[in-house]
Amino acid sequence: MEPTPHFFEQGQVLLIDKPLDWTSFDVVRKLRPLVRTKKIGHAGTLDPLATGLLILCTGKFTKRINEYMAKEKEYTGTIVLGASTPTYDLESEPQPGEDPGYLTEVIVRDAIEREFTGEIMQTPPIHSAIKVGGKRVYELARKGREVKLEPRRVVVKEFEITRFQLPELDFRVVCSTGTYIRSLANDLGAVLGCGGYLSGLRRTRIGEFRVEQAMSMEAAGEYIRQKLENSQASAPTKST
């Protein structure tokens, strides 16, 4: 007789608050041996320098990963104007641009509403995990290979400035899947004529799931341990 699937093999959703400097796969790799099933994956990559909500699916629920990936996303973060970086964030060294001192909040809001709200065409960063010819484009870019990515249609439902204190501006963005917030920062800086890059990012929502519901890595480990103990305690015993 086949053993009864345990709690995580049956299929579960884990909401994780991804730590800074961890890749999304680092989280999967850390939790895989704890859930005791090879079937575990995340529903949407977060860059190492981003924090916030990461959805993990285990067991039979891995079939739902594409469903969760397609959901609307919400982010908060900070853009620095007056400089740019090759990676559009702090993975690479900022290069000075024009002094953004001439900008007002009204000018920036107008540019956002005109260029970066609604359905837009966006070119992903060449330092991203997109595959071209079977290779991650960031691997090609690091080797100095020329990479050309085609613009993609994305939807930015809301792009709100929550703090304006040059050279920084804090923001909240609600967008479709496939939207690169790093590209929004870089492209906004280009439109404003001064350069811009993303200095901080936090994913706060995926569909109906919010980061307030998410567990730290430490809390996730304890949760998994308790669920497995309870699952084993409630499993039927073999008759002799």
Side-chain angles (χ1 to χ4, degrees), residues 158-171:
E158 299 177 47
F159 191 161
E160 172 191 8
I161 296 175
T162 57
R163 180 180 69 95
F164 185 83
Q165 188 171 351
L166 292 176
E168 294 183 344
L169 61 90
D170 291 349
F171 65 87

Side-chain angles (χ1 to χ4, degrees), residues 6 81 117 119 133 203 206 219-220 232:
H6 66 62
L81 298 174
T117 306
E119 191 175 273
R203 186 156 65 193
I206 300 174
Q232 291 166 358

Side-chain angles (χ1 to χ4, degrees), residues 21-36:
D21 293 329
W22 286 52
T23 68
S24 299
F25 185 67
D26 286 340
V27 175
V28 173
R29 184 167 46 199
K30 177 72 173 181
L31 297 184
R32 177 177 282 127
L34 302 183
V35 298
R36 301 179 193 172

Side-chain angles (χ1 to χ4, degrees), residues 70-89:
K71 290 181 179 291
E72 181 178 85
K73 313 293 195 302
E74 179 185 73
Y75 299 88
T76 60
T78 301
I79 295 171
V80 176
L81 298 174
S84 59
T85 79
T87 57
Y88 304 171
D89 63 9

